[in-house]
Amino acid sequence: MKQAQIDDDTEDVSLDFGAEEEERALRKTNIRHPMAAFFHLFFRISAIVTYLFCDWFSTSFVGCFLTIIVLLSCDFWSVKNVTGRLLVSLQWSNQIDEDGRSQWVFEAKKPSPHSRISTTEVEARIFWLGLVLCPLIWTLFFFTTLFSLKLKWLALVIAGIALQAANLYGFVRCKVGGGQPGIPVPAAASSPQRPDIIFGEL
């Protein structure tokens, strides 16, 4: 009877030595959200290309201006609300509390040790390269526009810098603050209605 009980106890033991290696390989090679990765770059690259070559296809300054503004706005919304959450598990937002004061909330999802990976290194590279390089390009456009005295484009370039830099700042704050649970949480983030928002965890 004791021998049978010992056999029953040992039957349920299973060892999976390759699980960590498999997850590490998936993190390095796979793109788990191809549509998010595509649109993360599509709108911002389209805005830059349109700015560079719009004079070749149209003589209407207003049409070019509106097209680029729409592309920049779509990029700002998609990066802030969709691709940042899917590609790097980061999200930032601005909330108004009951007193009418603005509260900035920076969120980062901490992966569970028992769950499958939610992001990959390839997706993270795509996200951060697009997020950092494009504001630098718009900053270059600012100086070239200023020095070439194309002042009618200056407002558009400033809008591009502002929208791109806002997302860059927000996600850098999420990345830096996500691993520091001791940082104070804004009042809006610590309310009972949103217990999931800390400086680190979605």
Side-chain angles (χ1 to χ4, degrees):
M1 178 66 69
K2 291 183 177 180
Q3 182 64 32
Q5 184 177 358
I6 293 174
D7 293 340
D8 292 340
D9 292 339
T10 57
E11 284 177 357
D12 296 332
V13 177
S14 62
L15 299 176
D16 189 359
F17 294 104
E20 293 184 2
E21 288 76 9
E22 180 182 356
E23 286 198 6
R24 192 177 298 112
L26 288 174
R27 182 180 293 275
K28 289 182 178 180
T29 59
N30 284 3
I31 296 179
R32 300 185 67 247
H33 307 95
M35 291 297 293
F38 171 77
F39 282 106
H40 177 71
L41 299 175
F42 173 75
F43 290 119
R44 54 186 50 215
I45 292 177
S46 297
I48 292 173
V49 172
T50 303
Y51 175 82
L52 290 174
F53 301 107
C54 63
D55 288 338
W56 294 12
F57 303 102
S58 175
T59 58
S60 173
F61 170 76
V62 175
C64 295
F65 188 96
L66 292 178
T67 300
I68 297 172
I69 286 294
V70 168
L71 289 172
L72 289 171
S73 301
C74 291
D75 170 73
F76 178 83
W77 183 90
S78 63
V79 173
K80 177 180 178 295
N81 297 297
V82 180
T83 64
R85 179 171 53 85
L86 293 178
L87 299 182
V88 289
S89 298
L90 302 175
Q91 189 172 7
W92 65 274
S93 61
N94 180 265
Q95 301 175 357
I96 305 299
D97 62 14
E98 297 178 355
D99 299 329
R101 292 178 298 182
S102 177
Q103 298 285 343
W104 294 91
V105 180
F106 304 97
E107 310 170 63
K109 181 178 180 181
K110 293 182 177 179
S112 170
H114 303 292
S115 64
R116 299 289 291 177
I117 58 174
S118 58
T119 62
T120 66
E121 293 181 6
V122 175
E123 291 177 335
R125 289 194 190 100
I126 292 173
F127 179 84
W128 289 109
L129 282 175
L131 199 68
V132 172
L133 290 180
C134 290
L136 295 178
I137 294 174
W138 282 104
T139 303
L140 177 64
F141 290 163
F142 172 81
F143 289 108
T144 57
T145 302
L146 188 64
F147 294 144
S148 61
L149 300 179
K150 297 180 179 179
L151 300 182
K152 66 178 182 179
W153 294 99
L154 199 57
L156 174 63
V157 173
I158 292 174
I161 294 174
L163 292 173
Q164 303 269 317
N167 262 332
L168 177 60
Y169 172 79
F171 284 109
V172 168
R173 286 291 304 271
C174 292
K175 182 68 173 177
V176 173
Q180 302 176 14
I183 295 179
V185 183
S190 59
S191 63
Q193 290 80 8
R194 298 296 300 277
D196 55 336
I197 299 180
I198 60 175
F199 227 60
E201 191 166 335
L202 282 174

